[in-house]
């Protein structure tokens, strides 16, 4: 007999509903026999140990999403979980009863929840959005006619986020500018940070034995989340340390630029610039990435110094010219 396919999302939803509907809790066998998603597989002859493993994975996933699945063991022997019961205490899952939201506040919360795409939102944020929706209140206040979206376009983002949330070491190939081949990196991923509109992962490099920050766009392989774990306490304050480190690098090096007033370059660069006698000073973290940006402005910006940055921009502009010039030198 073939088991009726119940999507994993539906099975998890059914499990949440079942665990919230009981005060005394349900045993594992009661869950496998009665909750849709498990029951169909049991009726189709799936082995009990496979079903139990599925339940354990589902339970861990719910907890990772911020849903407090409580295990109630034998009071006389708490370590004996053979007849343990499981439940979701409503008092811990619901928002505090004394919290109230106006229609405008609810609209803002819904808008904030809609901004992040599913691949970039953290589990803490997902948990918060679910609790807001659980209020069952629809605000009538309209904020704007559309919702912006924040997405993580770097392919490495979801796996790195999973590694951070599960406290697992990750492995990937990283290609630095000027290197002929990528190098394999093994890190404890501690934080993902957006700095200067680019995503970085901050963590402890196990081979270098020191903290490192990596640009996601330079990860040239799939990110493998390994089974090696690390202490979750290492994540505390990691994002702040990452941003502080990137800021320190930017402060230590800055470019002197001459920019045409009223242009896109003047608008974008002016947001992070300080005035100089000859033009503006703009701090930057990565010479290669900054050279890409400056080259994209074409004649709107000229690099006065440092020399290596100016050379990098000239190299990019020359490559563009060569690409659009025929063999005879004519465009």
């Amino acid at each position: 007999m073939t088991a009726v396919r119940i999507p994993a999302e539906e099975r998890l939803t059914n499990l949440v509903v079942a665990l919230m509907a009981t005060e005394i809790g349900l045993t594992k066998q009661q869950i496998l026999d009665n909750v849709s998603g498990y029951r169909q597989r049991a009726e189709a002859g799936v082995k009990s140990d496979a079903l139990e493993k599925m339940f354990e994975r589902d339970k861990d996933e719910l907890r990772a999403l911020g849903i407090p699945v409580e295990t109630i063991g034998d009071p006389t022997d708490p370590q004996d979980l053979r007849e343990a019961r499981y439940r979701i205490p409503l008092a811990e899952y619901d928002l505090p009863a004394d919290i109230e939201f106006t229609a405008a506040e609810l609209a803002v919360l819904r808008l904030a929840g809609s901004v992040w795409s599913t691949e970039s939102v953290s589990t803490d944020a997902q948990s918060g959005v679910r609790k807001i929706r659980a209020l069952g209140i629809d605000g009538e206040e309209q904020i704007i006619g559309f919702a912006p979206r924040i997405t993580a376009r770097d392919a490495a983002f979801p796996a790195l986020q999973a590694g951070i949330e599960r406290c697992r070491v990750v492995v990937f190939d990283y290609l630095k500018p000027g290197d002929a081949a990528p190098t394999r990196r093994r890190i404890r991923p501690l934080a993902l940070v957006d700095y200067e509109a680019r995503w970085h992962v901050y963590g402890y490099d196990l081979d270098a034995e020191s903290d490192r920050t990596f640009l996601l766009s330079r990860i040239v392989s799939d990110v493998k989340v390994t089974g090696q774990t690390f202490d979750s306490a290492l994540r505390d304050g990691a994002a702040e340390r990452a941003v502080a480190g990137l800021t320190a690098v930017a402060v230590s090096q800055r470019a002197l630029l001459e920019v045409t007033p009223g242009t896109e370059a003047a608008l974008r660069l002016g947001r992070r610039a300080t005035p100089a006698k000859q033009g503006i000073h703009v701090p930057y973290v990565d010479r290669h990435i900054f050279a890409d940006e400056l080259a994209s402005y074409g004649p709107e910006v000229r690099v006065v110094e440092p020399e290596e940055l100016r050379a990098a921009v000239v190299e990019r502009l020359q490559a563009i010219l060569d690409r659009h010039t025929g063999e005879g030198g004519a465009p």
Side-chain angles (χ1 to χ4, degrees), residues 57-236:
R57 289 195 301 269
D58 289 348
K59 178 160 56 69
D60 290 342
E61 183 170 350
L62 290 180
R63 286 171 173 165
L65 290 172
I67 299 176
V69 179
E70 183 180 61
T71 302
I72 306 172
D74 185 347
T76 61
D77 186 3
Q79 301 302 318
D80 184 1
L81 299 180
R82 288 175 297 179
E83 295 300 322
R85 292 178 173 270
Y86 303 89
R87 68 172 184 174
I88 297 176
L90 296 181
E92 293 185 26
Y93 184 72
D94 291 346
L95 287 171
D98 57 351
I99 290 183
E100 296 182 358
F101 297 103
T102 66
E105 289 170 337
L106 283 170
V108 170
L109 288 169
R110 285 200 309 276
L111 177 62
S114 69
V115 167
W116 291 87
S117 63
T118 55
E119 72 270 18
S120 57
V121 69
S122 70
T123 52
D124 288 341
Q126 292 181 44
S127 177
V129 170
R130 279 195 303 275
K131 291 184 179 184
I132 294 300
R133 290 174 177 166
L135 291 173
I137 304 173
D138 290 324
E140 297 178 356
E141 194 78 14
Q142 295 296 322
I143 303 300
I144 55 177
F146 66 92
R149 301 293 290 174
I150 295 176
T151 60
R153 296 183 180 180
D154 294 294
F157 191 103
L160 290 171
Q161 180 173 269
I164 292 170
E165 294 174 347
R166 295 166 60 190
C167 298
R168 299 288 183 89
V169 169
V170 299
V171 178
F172 54 81
D173 292 336
Y174 193 73
L175 183 62
K176 295 174 61 177
D179 288 356
T183 56
R184 177 56 58 97
R185 303 283 189 167
R186 296 186 308 122
I187 73 166
R188 297 170 183 158
L190 304 178
L192 283 161
V193 294
D194 182 14
Y195 193 85
E196 293 184 349
R198 293 174 180 84
W199 283 104
H200 303 72
V201 60
Y202 171 80
Y204 183 81
D205 190 316
L206 293 171
D207 295 320
E209 297 185 343
S210 63
D211 293 340
R212 290 285 191 272
T213 302
F214 301 94
L215 193 65
L216 265 62
S217 61
R218 289 185 179 147
I219 296 177
V220 294
S221 70
D222 292 337
V223 176
K224 178 183 177 182
V225 181
T226 73
Q228 185 178 351
T229 62
F230 58 87
D231 188 350
S232 62
L234 296 174
R235 300 177 305 186
D236 296 345

Side-chain angles (χ1 to χ4, degrees), residues 195 240-254 283-285:
Y195 193 85
E240 291 77 6
R241 296 196 300 274
V243 172
L246 291 168
T247 302
V249 172
V251 170
S252 68
Q253 54 187 17
R254 60 180 185 172
Y284 62 94
V285 173

Side-chain angles (χ1 to χ4, degrees), residues 3-19 26 28-43 51 54-55 58 62:
V4 178
R5 291 194 61 82
I6 303 295
E9 297 83 358
E10 182 178 341
R11 185 179 70 247
L12 288 171
T13 300
N14 295 335
L15 179 59
V16 169
V17 171
L19 297 181
L26 298 172
K28 185 183 298 184
Q29 194 58 51
Q30 288 174 324
I31 292 169
L32 301 182
D33 290 343
N34 296 283
V35 175
S36 180
Y38 304 103
R39 185 184 69 249
Q40 290 85 349
R41 290 174 177 264
E43 293 172 348
L51 292 174
M54 176 186 291
F55 168 69
D58 289 348
L62 290 180

